[in-house]
Amino acid sequence: MNVTLLSPRQVSQGWRISEVTLARFRIHGNGPPFIKIGRSVRYDRDDLEKWLISLKRKSTSEAA
């Protein structure tokens, strides 16, 4: 099993969004899946890709 875990900082820098936005996603449960290891939050790279794919839309009227 080869799992690549990323910190919130790494994800925010790669996606060019704030760490606060990622924290809000976690609080509201509408963001990518995450892993808690003690007090640390980590994101599995594969889960991030799957989540992004699930957000794809063809029009603004398409249901989420």
Side-chain angles (χ1 to χ4, degrees):
M1 176 190 255
N2 188 13
V3 177
T4 301
L5 298 179
L6 303 170
S7 70
R9 175 169 287 161
Q10 290 171 307
V11 175
S12 72
Q13 289 172 345
W15 286 3
R16 298 180 187 219
I17 61 172
S18 73
E19 289 183 61
V20 172
T21 298
L22 286 172
R24 285 188 186 127
F25 285 162
R26 291 192 301 272
I27 290 167
H28 296 289
N30 60 350
F34 63 95
I35 300 165
K36 282 282 284 196
I37 303 171
R39 294 182 350 177
S40 298
V41 172
R42 295 292 180 263
Y43 294 92
D44 181 322
R45 185 183 303 267
D46 291 339
D47 288 343
L48 291 171
E49 289 178 18
K50 290 174 190 171
W51 184 74
L52 280 176
I53 290 168
S54 77
L55 297 178
K56 283 187 178 181
R57 303 289 180 256
K58 293 186 179 187
S59 76
T60 56
S61 62
E62 190 174 339

